[in-house]
Amino acid sequence: MQESRREFAKKAAMVAAGAAVVGGSSVLANSGESSVQGDSNNGVVLGSSRKKEILYKKTAAWEEFYKKAK
């Protein structure tokens, strides 16, 4: 009984390690050229979303913060 548990644990660990290697290599293969730093993209990865990104919205709380931060 003890021997079969050990064998199962060994086999499960090997399968999990193999799956991790395959998963990691596929992530690297799918990354393509978007993460390569060059003159054209300056290391910035561009997305395909049509949503407008709002980084700052003028509010009374921000105005108070900026006044105190000066």
Side-chain angles (χ1 to χ4, degrees), residues 15-55:
V15 168
V21 168
V22 169
S25 65
S26 67
V27 168
L28 290 175
N30 288 336
S31 64
E33 298 233 356
S34 63
S35 62
V36 176
Q37 279 191 329
D39 293 334
S40 62
N41 65 358
N42 201 20
V44 178
V45 179
L46 299 176
S48 60
S49 177
R50 288 177 271 158
K51 291 183 179 179
K52 183 179 177 184
E53 184 177 7
I54 300 172
L55 299 175

